[in-house]
Amino acid sequence: MVSSNAYRADSPSAHHYSGQHYSTLPEVLYSLSCLSDLYEIGNVLGAEVDSRELREHILIHLRRAICAQGACLLLYHTAQQRFIPVAFVGERLPTAELVATIDWRVIEQQTLRGPGETLATLLLDNLYIILVTLSYNNTLLGIVALSATDNNALVDERGLLLAFMGRVAALLLCNYDLSNSMRQDAINQERNRIARELHDGITQQITHVLHKLEYIQRLIETGCPQFILSELHHVRSVLNSSLHDLRNTMSGLSSAQVEKGALVKIIRQIVNQYKSSHPETELVLKITGLDESQHLPPKLEMLIFHCIQEALTNVWKHAQAKSVHVRLHRLASWLIVEVSDNGIGFQPEQVFIAFKHHNIEERHFGLAIMRERIEEAGGFWELQSKPGEGTTVRARFPLANPNHELTKREHEILQLISEGLTNREIARRLEVSIDTVKAHIHRIMQKLGVKDRVQAVAVAYRNGWL
């Protein structure tokens, strides 16, 4: 049974231990330790664990802060306007009564208040329950319910600690959902790429072979053997082409090996595969500024792998080239990737116009995907070509200079930029002037070698800083 006036929103300062006094310094140190552990372990876990483990991790730390008997995480379902229990630690709480009792309107109002006003209390069947609101950017994500033996379970500092831990927990949940969403988007993009390659290449070629085989069957039936041999040669050629495309697709599927091996080694493998498939074409690989054992950020290595693979595929399909040069060059804080050929070339202006109006021809589709991937990663894409004079595709990626590492404050500002905050909002959050924020951002861009905030965030994600 729920007692009368059981539900109320409270400030942490409303609760005190009877007859107990806590020294300020140990409490501050304990609070900092709790917040640090929750945030750091949560970030270390990141997207490497499932949601159940992350949720239990949050409950364990909030429960430990006040030695609660039990803890329950309830996520807020906006469409249904109700809370759904998703995780438990310690003694089970009466979740059915809890969900029926909580007024979502009151909890939602608390998300608009400061951290010191984001706790509420309930009394269910003589069980004292503390509700910690989880919100991010004034959006309600859920609550953590903690059970205690009596209503003297909080002191001023511990109440404020719980409120701030609720903010950190909400941030961890948001980051986890964002990482999952980004990973799913990447999976969907890769699936679409594979589907397009299979449909536009292998599927059409196999369909063509089937039609040719039907034609050969009719030639045999009508007694025209003089054409059969030439048609069989043609079928063999088409099947060889299909096999080559299928191998490229399978190579793309297994490209996760780039994350485990050095980039230079993998590029040499790509080039050797191309040479064995196209012995009639001269292929020259030149690498400077990188050695066999050197590693770059895994996301960048994967991107370079795909770019070189796509560029070589375009050369084979469209360029009719006799000579191809692949160059990988590290210069100061830049990595430059270049693939050039002496093929038939084309008018690049037509491609740029097609990009602008989203009217891309099939033969330039690979270039469009390549440019999109490079620019999304904070790089710069260049295309040079002329009919009869070949084509050059070049990508430039800014690298973090080890001699120009970001300071702790610059990392903080970069994190806030990634959350979409303006200069004014960052200044208010960090309690500094707007001019100071602008100066920090200018130095960040100089160190990362980028021209705007979007590229700075892209470089940070690529290097695993966010």
Side-chain angles (χ1 to χ4, degrees):
M1 171 182 287
V2 181
S3 66
S4 59
N5 298 323
Y7 183 86
R8 69 179 187 273
D10 292 312
S11 166
S13 59
H15 305 280
H16 302 273
Y17 274 107
S18 301
Q20 295 187 24
H21 176 70
Y22 279 76
S23 174
T24 302
L25 182 57
E27 276 297 308
V28 170
L29 294 176
Y30 177 79
S31 298
L32 290 176
S33 175
C34 288
L35 285 169
S36 176
D37 287 348
L38 176 62
Y39 184 77
E40 289 182 7
I41 297 177
N43 274 341
V44 169
L45 290 175
E48 300 301 321
V49 297
D50 59 27
S51 58
R52 179 185 60 81
E53 291 181 82
L54 179 62
R55 292 164 180 173
E56 289 181 355
H57 159 77
I58 289 171
L59 291 180
I60 288 170
H61 279 73
L62 267 74
R63 179 190 177 203
R64 187 183 301 160
I66 61 167
C67 299
Q69 295 173 310
C72 173
L73 172 62
L74 302 96
L75 295 183
Y76 181 59
H77 194 292
T78 307
Q80 298 180 13
Q81 293 183 334
R82 71 186 189 93
F83 292 93
I84 302 174
V86 295
F88 305 87
V89 168
E91 294 185 7
R92 280 297 265 249
L93 276 70
T95 53
E97 294 88 341
L98 193 59
V99 170
T101 305
I102 297 174
D103 187 343
W104 63 268
R105 287 175 289 267
V106 175
I107 300 295
E108 203 168 48
Q109 281 295 316
Q110 287 183 253
T111 64
L112 304 177
R113 305 175 186 174
E117 304 294 333
T118 55
L119 297 184
T121 58
L122 277 175
L123 186 61
L124 294 176
D125 294 331
N126 297 321
L127 183 64
Y128 184 69
I129 299 176
I130 303 164
L131 303 180
V132 183
T133 304
L134 309 183
S135 63
Y136 182 73
N137 281 347
N138 294 331
T139 300
L140 177 61
L141 302 180
I143 56 175
V144 170
L146 302 170
S147 61
T149 54
D150 56 55
N151 60 1
N152 293 320
L154 292 177
V155 292
D156 293 351
E157 294 84 356
R158 293 290 171 89
L160 195 59
L161 168 61
L162 274 183
F164 275 103
M165 289 181 77
R167 291 293 179 94
V168 173
L171 177 61
L172 293 177
L173 292 173
C174 280
N175 285 345
Y176 183 85
D177 290 342
L178 178 61
S179 297
N180 275 347
S181 176
M182 292 174 64
R183 185 167 60 251
Q184 189 59 49
D185 286 344
I187 291 172
N188 291 337
Q189 289 176 11
E190 194 64 12
R191 284 175 176 168
N192 291 335
R193 181 188 70 83
I194 295 169
R196 285 192 297 265
E197 288 185 359
L198 291 174
H199 176 269
D200 297 340
I202 300 170
T203 303
Q204 292 182 6
Q205 289 168 343
I206 291 177
T207 302
H208 178 66
V209 166
L210 289 174
H211 290 159
K212 282 294 182 182
L213 289 174
E214 291 174 358
Y215 176 61
I216 291 171
Q217 183 180 3
R218 289 196 298 271
L219 288 176
I220 294 173
E221 292 171 351
T222 56
C224 299
Q226 64 272 24
F227 299 110
I228 294 176
L229 189 60
S230 64
E231 291 297 333
L232 286 173
H233 280 303
H234 179 71
V235 167
R236 181 177 182 274
S237 175
V238 174
L239 286 175
N240 279 333
S241 175
S242 299
L243 182 60
H244 179 274
D245 285 350
L246 185 58
R247 282 173 176 165
N248 276 347
T249 301
M250 292 173 65
S251 177
L253 288 172
S254 63
S255 61
Q257 63 184 316
V258 177
E259 296 184 10
K260 299 178 181 179
L263 177 64
V264 173
K265 179 181 177 182
I266 302 300
I267 290 177
R268 293 193 191 280
Q269 290 179 3
I270 299 174
V271 170
N272 290 334
Q273 289 173 6
Y274 189 92
K275 284 181 177 179
S276 62
S277 301
H278 307 283
E280 74 283 358
T281 304
E282 178 193 25
L283 182 55
V284 179
L285 173 64
K286 185 176 181 180
I287 300 176
T288 55
L290 290 170
D291 57 48
E292 293 281 353
S293 61
Q294 190 165 0
H295 289 263
L296 296 171
K299 292 179 182 178
L300 179 57
E301 291 188 343
M302 183 74 76
L303 177 59
I304 293 171
F305 174 91
H306 281 301
C307 287
I308 294 178
Q309 186 183 54
E310 184 63 45
L312 290 177
T313 299
N314 284 342
V315 170
W316 174 73
K317 285 185 175 180
H318 310 297
Q320 302 176 27
K322 298 297 181 183
S323 177
V324 183
H325 286 76
V326 178
R327 299 180 180 88
L328 187 65
H329 179 49
R330 181 167 186 169
L331 179 64
S333 59
W334 288 91
L335 182 68
I336 302 169
V337 183
E338 181 179 293
V339 178
S340 58
D341 65 71
N342 65 347
I344 59 175
F346 56 90
Q347 291 287 357
E349 292 79 11
Q350 298 175 358
V351 178
F352 297 142
I353 293 173
F355 285 170
K356 183 177 180 180
H357 297 285
H358 305 286
N359 184 25
I360 304 167
E361 296 181 25
E362 180 181 336
R363 64 195 180 100
H364 296 143
F365 194 73
L367 291 175
I369 294 176
M370 188 191 307
R371 185 186 76 157
E372 183 179 330
R373 282 175 169 169
I374 291 168
E375 293 182 348
E376 282 180 353
F380 300 87
W381 182 82
E382 300 173 18
L383 174 66
Q384 298 173 352
S385 187
K386 193 173 182 180
E389 297 185 11
T391 302
T392 297
V393 177
R394 184 180 299 109
R396 294 183 294 117
F397 300 97
L399 299 175
N401 191 327
N403 296 321
H404 297 141
E405 292 183 357
L406 298 184
T407 64
K408 182 179 179 181
R409 176 64 83 184
E410 288 166 350
H411 275 289
E412 291 176 345
I413 290 177
L414 194 53
Q415 176 67 49
L416 296 176
I417 291 174
S418 72
E419 295 174 11
L421 272 65
T422 64
N423 289 353
R424 185 177 298 278
E425 291 169 334
I426 294 173
R428 190 182 301 117
R429 179 78 63 87
L430 300 179
E431 298 181 348
V432 297
S433 69
I434 295 179
D435 288 338
T436 299
V437 172
K438 289 179 179 179
H440 280 302
I441 293 176
H442 179 69
R443 284 195 292 271
I444 290 171
M445 292 182 182
Q446 282 185 325
K447 290 180 178 180
L448 300 184
V450 297
K451 62 181 181 180
D452 57 38
R453 295 159 66 106
V454 174
Q455 287 188 335
V457 172
V459 171
Y461 271 114
R462 197 180 65 214
N463 284 278
W465 300 339
L466 298 177

